[in-house]
Amino acid sequence: MLAAERREHLLDLLGRTGKIVAKDVAAELGISEDSVRRDLRDLATEGLCQRVYGGALPVSPAVVDYDARQAVAPDGKRKVAAVAAALVRPGGSVILDGGTTALAVARALPKNLACTVITHSPTIATALIDHPRADLFLLGGRVFKHSAVTCGAAAVEAAQNISADLCLLGVTGVHPEAGLTTGDVEEAAMKRALSARAADTYVLASSEKIGTASSYHVLPWAKITGLISDTDPHAPVVERLRALGVDVLIAA
Amino acid sequence: MLAAERREHLLDLLGRTGKIVAKDVAAELGISEDSVRRDLRDLATEGLCQRVYGGALPVSPAVVDYDARQAVAPDGKRKVAAVAAALVRPGGSVILDGGTTALAVARALPKNLACTVITHSPTIATALIDHPRADLFLLGGRVFKHSAVTCGAAAVEAAQNISADLCLLGVTGVHPEAGLTTGDVEEAAMKRALSARAADTYVLASSEKIGTASSYHVLPWAKITGLISDTDPHAPVVERLRALGVDVLIAA
DNA sequence: CCTGTTCTTGCACGATGTTGCATGTATCTT
DNA sequence: AAGATACATGCAACATCGTGCAAGAACAGG
């Protein structure tokens, strides 16, 4: 049995049964426990499993939970969020994407602002419950766990029935050639659907997103009204976007 | 069973049932009470539980900064929720209403249960994000602030496209003559729409709801499969409901 | 084809972690 | 106050871990 094959098997087993007992796997595959232990150690180093006495467990969901609940947004995100929140006019309507930056925007909205917020993120909806004058509309659909938003056919369909002045979109990558990108194909489609329902679309991109690209393309620059970021106002990427006619707002 | 796995189990149990009895867990898992005690001592040292004579309790809500766990449900609601959660079969589908009791049900669902949960409550959706095997479907619509659920025409329409084995409905009043009642007319309509999409409908009613009535009628007894409550099993109201053919489950 | 190098694997062994039991003590119940 | 229950501690038996080491496989270069 190939070493890579063995690791594959371990990850598969971990995914299916939720745990690995070194002794059992060694017996099952007819190899020494030492090899299994070595594999598990490597896997753990790569963050693919959590090593425990006697075997291994899946990466602790608590780690995932942690960033989702990270109460305080990093400084960059907060600055970006403040600028974005200021774009929401009293009486206006805004489509809010999911993600931590968008959540920061929701938190940055003045508590007594009378506006309409449309979102596909239950997290953001929950965060806005205590904004008494905000009209909240939630787009339903299948909930995608890893980003905590609704996606898929039902959600896209629901989006067809609404429209708004402004759409605030989070992405994971902003790259002059690759454009706006995100890590999931369904999410990318959902973002397109949201953006299409708003008069203006602004992209939220804290500095660490600038110049990077993920797997799935979201929108061409032509469909974007502006970009909000806390990156250097004279960065080459920024100048490039300005040349393309994108309204770049720098959060200081 | 791995030691780390055991600790996971303890934390899960603590989250779902609100308490741990060392003796019971030891018997259940087939290990010595000493091991359970040692685990609890360690968890307590890490601030993950509060050690008490005979077992452990969740850390006081003030210490926990996770917003989701902030409100520990009162005992009655938790008992009702535990019985309700047990009605959800692996592989089955359930429509979960909004409200604090339904939220308690969501928390009482075993973390690794593979099932489909349909809800119109963003709060409940958020609470179930970290149940890796639960398929989550969120019904969209206008969000009603005071109960934090989606209601109205769009939500009712969305409900028409789904169906499930079971519907767990929260109400604010259970009265032998007035029937099931709630405090908002839109919510009442939404509850009817939800109930109509499930094969069986059970009503969640912790004891303080029994015998009371609110302004808006939800459903006649005939449409209800059963009632789950922690009230006295021989209370006149209960006997009356049984006579009407309602399956009354008493949570002890 | 041969040789030296590198990598992998299984084994040995001392170190460390875990478990259940026994014992004496603390705490609860009646 | 007395009996019952739960607790912490020490201990012995056992399991698991990490490391060093040697044998063998894979491979590159001559």
Side-chain angles (χ1 to χ4, degrees):
Chain A
M1 163 167 267
L2 268 33
E5 205 179 342
R6 214 173 43 213
R7 290 184 29 147
E8 214 34 61
H9 179 83
L10 286 173
L11 287 176
D12 177 53
L13 200 65
L14 194 59
R16 281 189 295 111
T17 67
K19 71 165 176 179
I20 285 177
V21 181
K23 197 180 199 171
D24 296 355
V25 180
E28 183 198 340
L29 300 184
I31 56 179
S32 78
E33 291 177 40
D34 297 72
S35 292
V36 178
R37 269 200 288 272
R38 267 187 272 249
D39 285 342
L40 290 180
R41 204 189 313 172
D42 294 349
L43 255 22
T45 309
E46 295 172 44
L48 267 31
C49 75
Q50 188 195 348
R51 192 74 172 80
V52 299
Y53 198 88
L57 292 175
V59 186
S60 161
V63 177
V64 183
D65 283 2
Y66 186 71
D67 35 345
R69 296 188 187 168
Q70 209 169 20
V72 186
D75 212 45
K77 288 192 181 182
R78 209 160 39 209
K79 285 179 192 166
V80 170
V83 172
L87 291 179
V88 182
R89 313 220 160 262
S93 55
V94 59
I95 299 174
L96 247 186
D97 192 13
T100 50
T101 312
L103 182 57
V105 173
R107 294 204 178 115
L109 286 174
K111 206 140 191 172
N112 276 308
L113 184 68
C115 62
T116 301
V117 178
I118 300 158
T119 183
H120 64 134
S121 159
T123 320
I124 286 181
T126 305
L128 287 173
I129 291 281
D130 56 2
H131 280 57
R133 302 181 63 196
D135 221 348
L136 248 180
F137 196 93
L138 186 58
L139 299 172
R142 192 163 186 283
V143 178
F144 271 48
K145 301 276 171 58
H146 82 100
S147 50
V149 294
T150 60
C151 284
V156 169
E157 196 190 322
Q160 304 312 316
N161 297 318
I162 53 98
S163 44
D165 307 331
L166 178 66
C167 174
L168 296 173
L169 223 53
V171 295
T172 58
V174 174
H175 192 276
E177 268 111 49
L180 301 169
T181 52
T182 192
D184 183 281
V185 65
E186 286 286 345
E187 268 184 73
M190 190 65 198
K191 285 175 199 294
R192 276 192 294 275
L194 293 177
S195 167
R197 307 305 307 167
D200 289 310
T201 298
Y202 278 80
V203 171
L204 312 168
S206 42
S207 58
E208 77 273 13
K209 314 270 175 71
I210 302 293
T212 69
S214 296
S215 306
Y216 300 96
H217 183 252
V218 177
L219 279 171
W221 294 115
K223 300 260 188 177
I224 299 297
T225 313
L227 175 90
I228 307 174
S229 181
D230 62 329
T231 195
D232 173 18
H234 301 296
V237 189
V238 172
E239 303 285 11
R240 181 84 174 269
L241 294 184
R242 282 222 180 83
L244 286 164
V246 176
D247 175 25
V248 182
L249 304 180
I250 297 296
Chain B
M1 164 168 262
L2 267 31
E5 203 182 346
R6 210 175 45 215
R7 292 183 28 148
E8 281 293 319
H9 178 83
L10 287 172
L11 285 176
D12 180 49
L13 202 65
L14 194 59
R16 284 191 292 116
T17 67
K19 71 170 176 183
I20 283 176
V21 180
K23 197 178 197 172
D24 296 355
V25 180
E28 183 198 342
L29 299 184
I31 56 178
S32 78
E33 291 177 41
D34 297 73
S35 292
V36 178
R37 269 198 285 273
R38 266 188 274 250
D39 284 342
L40 291 180
R41 202 192 313 172
D42 294 349
L43 289 174
T45 308
E46 294 171 46
L48 267 31
C49 75
Q50 189 194 344
R51 197 70 226 288
V52 297
Y53 200 87
L57 293 174
V59 270
S60 87
V63 180
V64 185
D65 52 346
Y66 301 154
D67 37 346
R69 322 224 167 198
Q70 210 155 35
V72 176
D75 212 44
K77 287 191 182 182
R78 202 154 47 203
K79 284 179 189 164
V80 170
V83 172
L87 291 179
V88 182
R89 307 243 152 258
S93 54
V94 58
I95 299 174
L96 248 185
D97 192 13
T100 51
T101 311
L103 182 57
V105 174
R107 290 196 185 128
L109 286 174
K111 205 142 193 171
N112 276 310
L113 184 67
C115 63
T116 302
V117 178
I118 301 158
T119 182
H120 63 135
S121 158
T123 320
I124 285 181
T126 306
L128 286 172
I129 290 279
D130 56 4
H131 280 57
R133 302 183 62 197
D135 222 348
L136 249 181
F137 196 93
L138 185 58
L139 299 172
R142 191 160 186 284
V143 178
F144 271 47
K145 299 281 171 57
H146 84 97
S147 52
V149 293
T150 60
C151 284
V156 170
E157 194 191 322
Q160 304 312 315
N161 297 317
I162 53 96
S163 44
D165 307 331
L166 178 67
C167 174
L168 296 173
L169 224 52
V171 294
T172 57
V174 174
H175 192 277
E177 268 109 48
L180 302 168
T181 50
T182 191
D184 182 282
V185 66
E186 286 286 344
E187 268 184 73
M190 189 67 197
K191 285 175 199 294
R192 275 193 296 275
L194 292 177
S195 167
R197 307 305 307 168
D200 288 311
T201 298
Y202 277 81
V203 171
L204 312 168
S206 43
S207 57
E208 77 272 14
K209 314 268 175 71
I210 302 292
T212 69
S214 296
S215 308
Y216 299 96
H217 183 253
V218 177
L219 278 170
W221 293 114
K223 300 259 188 178
I224 299 297
T225 313
L227 175 89
I228 306 172
S229 181
D230 61 330
T231 195
D232 173 18
H234 300 297
V237 189
V238 171
E239 303 286 11
R240 180 85 174 270
L241 293 184
R242 281 223 180 82
L244 286 164
V246 176
D247 175 26
V248 182
L249 304 179
I250 298 296

